[in-house]
Amino acid sequence: MGCVPKANNINSVVGPGCYMISPQYVVVHKDSPRGTHFRRAGPRQKVYFESDEVYACIVTCGGLCPGLNTVIREIVYSLYYMYGVKRVLGIDGGYRGFYAKNTIALTPKGVNDIHKRGGTVLGTSRGGHDTSKIVDSIQDRGINQVYIIGGDGTQKGASVIYEEVRRRGLKVVVAGIPKTIDNDIPVIDRSFGFDTAVEEAQRAINAAHVEAESSENCIGLVKLMGRYSGFIAMYATLASRDVDCCLIPESPFYLEGHGGLFEYIETRLKENGHMVIVIAEGAGQDLLAESIRSATQQDASGNKLLQDVGLWLSQKIKDHFAKEKKMPINLKYIDPTYMIRAVPSNASDNVYCTLLAQSCVHGAMAGYTGYTSGLVNGRQTYIPFYRIIEKQHHVVITDRMWARLLSSTNQPSFMNPKDVIEDKKEEELLTQIVNEDKKEEELPTKIPDISTEDNLVKKEIAA
């Protein structure tokens, strides 16, 4: 083992004769029709670190997600069995654990069975990010590989840590593994835990369907996770075939009047005698906020705190049919939120977690830093932090997948033709702005020719 050979035009110097490489310097053909490319993940012929010099740490941040323990296990196993690394530390309690919590020594024997459990053996938390204290802790402990598992907020924190490490000139790898049950991280094909979440959501939808068809004029209402992106609700709806209406944050809806939700509910109940509604937790928040302000004059702080839209919609439906007196209804409300995210990952996610963890370790041992390991167009890649945190991934309601859902449920789109045209104009304008911004970005004066060195994975820029 030895250092990565000097590569001309790579600017992140970390030691005499050695360079630690950030993936942002190997993005090529940025403005060409070929699109944007990321370096292919996997083992390298030469590694940067000697195994006995490595002192790694792993931290989990944010909410729970199926597969967290699997990722932890596979990072430990990859370091230990592939590279002979014996010192791996678990940071207890998220980012604040670097300076306010105890640490846990991680060994293959200690993590052998943790993938069979939900949650995270390291504990987690939101917030607590103090860059200076975190990097001080990393420096004081002599840690030189930091593996950070978390969602978009966590990856933003990882990016800040990476920049501070670079500013101090430390020989420390900062690598991320994207985690979000909502599947709202951009660039990557999907996040781990999403398949398990959709599969588990089927249990709640099935229960709602059984309840609904067992009573006259009964509505089964299921609230699923999805603060700003409705992927779980959309895929669970498509998979179940028992849902009559799916409401997500990206698709505005209205309650009263011609073409509204109440009218659709009444129509479905007259046709079938029952119906199932799936709503993502972030859907209808504008309607809910207006209702709360008019009733209580609250929410003056400006915080974007989500209210329980499931309970609110349940009451609105009950009040409407009680007022109209057109038909008596029953309504069963099911909220499986924490049941979905607390379960162990299924077989598909377990395999995916293994690939993510192994790819991340290969990159760290080769001397890459400032990256997230992710699946892009079916290939494992190293993605610079700035590409992961630049925006959120949303359901495009003018795209084919949402059209398939509308065909499956036969629900109204709650959009008129004018709304669709305006939505498409906004997308075209956003694409134009993004393309102009990319043209203004400065590339390094010289870029090493890596086309023959590694397989590159192409991520087309959506038109």
Side-chain angles (χ1 to χ4, degrees):
M1 295 189 214
C3 294
V4 175
K6 280 188 179 181
N8 294 330
N9 310 318
I10 300 295
N11 301 319
S12 298
V13 182
V14 298
C18 298
Y19 285 78
M20 193 171 292
I21 306 170
S22 169
Q24 67 184 22
Y25 295 109
V26 293
V27 177
V28 298
H29 303 296
K30 202 169 188 179
D31 300 315
S32 76
R34 293 178 60 194
T36 302
H37 298 66
F38 304 110
R39 188 179 282 271
R40 182 79 175 268
R44 266 47 181 180
Q45 287 184 335
K46 295 184 179 181
V47 296
Y48 178 85
F49 293 97
E50 296 285 352
S51 58
D52 56 356
E53 295 176 352
V54 174
Y55 191 19
C57 75
I58 306 171
V59 64
T60 55
C61 306
L64 296 182
C65 178
L68 279 170
N69 282 333
T70 305
V71 174
I72 295 168
R73 179 188 188 275
E74 295 308 319
I75 291 176
V76 174
Y77 265 61
S78 298
L79 285 168
Y80 193 94
Y81 290 116
M82 291 183 183
Y83 293 98
V85 174
K86 300 296 192 297
R87 296 189 299 166
V88 185
L89 198 64
I91 305 299
D92 185 14
Y95 277 134
R96 64 170 52 91
F98 277 100
Y99 55 86
K101 290 268 188 176
N102 295 326
T103 57
I104 305 168
L106 299 176
T107 64
K109 184 178 180 180
V111 301
N112 183 54
D113 293 327
I114 63 173
H115 63 290
K116 300 176 183 178
R117 289 182 262 161
T120 166
V121 295
L122 298 181
T124 185
S125 67
R126 298 184 185 276
H129 189 281
D130 188 316
T131 307
S132 180
K133 287 184 179 180
I134 291 172
V135 178
D136 284 345
S137 176
I138 292 170
Q139 191 170 1
D140 293 343
R141 295 175 189 272
I143 293 170
N144 51 19
Q145 289 187 12
V146 182
Y147 297 92
I148 301 174
I149 310 168
D152 55 346
T154 300
Q155 300 302 314
K156 289 177 183 177
S159 179
V160 174
I161 293 171
Y162 159 67
E163 294 295 341
E164 177 63 16
V165 165
R166 285 189 63 194
R167 189 187 70 79
R168 298 189 188 187
L170 304 177
K171 300 185 204 178
V172 177
V173 163
V174 181
I177 294 181
K179 174 236 45 162
T180 169
I181 202 169
D182 294 343
N183 199 37
D184 59 359
I185 291 181
V187 183
I188 62 175
D189 295 353
R190 74 178 192 280
S191 54
F192 74 83
F194 177 70
D195 279 357
T196 306
V198 172
E199 184 177 300
E200 194 67 17
Q202 300 303 294
R203 300 176 186 272
I205 293 174
N206 182 61
H209 183 248
V210 170
E211 288 283 350
E213 68 177 0
S214 299
S215 302
E216 183 180 3
N217 292 335
C218 188
I219 302 169
L221 177 60
V222 180
K223 186 184 79 171
L224 298 177
M225 299 187 74
R227 292 178 62 85
Y228 305 110
S229 301
F231 286 102
I232 292 179
M234 180 174 71
Y235 277 83
T237 295
L238 282 167
S240 73
R241 308 295 177 184
D242 290 327
V243 179
D244 299 286
C245 185
C246 177
L247 305 172
I248 61 174
E250 295 89 339
S251 180
F253 66 94
Y254 55 97
L255 300 178
E256 300 178 351
H258 179 67
L261 180 61
F262 291 154
E263 182 182 81
Y264 177 62
I265 292 174
E266 185 177 337
T267 301
R268 295 298 288 175
L269 290 178
K270 287 180 179 178
E271 291 175 352
N272 296 338
H274 66 274
M275 75 176 299
V276 175
I277 301 173
V278 168
I279 184 167
E281 61 182 327
Q285 289 294 320
D286 53 339
L287 301 176
L288 179 54
E290 291 175 8
S291 176
I292 291 175
R293 280 197 294 269
S294 62
T296 63
Q297 301 298 317
Q298 294 181 358
D299 198 18
S301 64
N303 295 327
K304 296 181 179 180
L305 300 176
L306 299 184
Q307 304 294 325
D308 192 330
V309 70
L311 287 174
W312 172 82
L313 184 58
S314 298
Q315 193 59 50
K316 280 290 185 180
I317 294 172
K318 291 177 183 177
D319 292 345
H320 171 78
F321 282 94
K323 179 181 178 181
E324 295 295 326
K325 297 180 180 178
K326 292 183 177 180
M327 64 175 70
I329 66 163
N330 293 311
L331 191 145
K332 311 295 184 182
Y333 174 52
I334 299 175
D335 181 359
T337 299
Y338 296 105
M339 295 173 63
I340 286 176
R341 72 180 200 171
V343 299
S345 54
N346 63 12
S348 173
D349 274 326
N350 263 331
V351 173
Y352 186 29
C353 289
T354 301
L355 299 180
L356 288 172
Q358 290 182 355
S359 296
C360 197
V361 169
H362 288 317
M365 292 301 295
Y368 294 109
T369 186
Y371 68 90
T372 290
S373 172
L375 192 71
V376 179
N377 286 348
R379 298 290 185 270
Q380 293 292 328
T381 63
Y382 299 133
I383 308 165
F385 279 140
Y386 75 90
R387 289 301 309 273
I388 287 290
I389 65 178
E390 61 187 358
K391 62 180 180 179
Q392 281 187 316
H393 185 37
H394 296 288
V395 174
V396 180
I397 60 174
T398 53
D399 205 357
R400 291 181 179 180
M401 189 59 76
W402 185 246
R404 293 185 181 107
L405 180 140
L406 296 180
S407 298
S408 174
T409 61
N410 200 30
Q411 71 185 69
S413 67
F414 301 109
M415 293 180 69
N416 57 44
K418 181 181 177 182
D419 293 328
V420 175
I421 293 172
E422 291 178 353
D423 188 71
K424 287 184 176 179
K425 285 182 179 179
E426 288 180 3
E427 287 182 25
E428 291 173 358
L429 178 62
L430 180 61
T431 302
Q432 181 180 351
I433 293 172
V434 169
N435 289 336
E436 290 176 355
D437 289 344
K438 286 183 176 180
K439 289 179 181 179
E440 293 176 1
E441 291 179 0
E442 292 185 2
L443 289 172
T445 54
K446 293 181 181 179
I447 299 178
D449 182 9
I450 61 172
S451 59
T452 58
E453 178 186 343
D454 291 294
N455 291 326
L456 298 175
V457 175
K458 176 179 177 184
K459 183 69 177 180
E460 295 286 358
I461 300 174

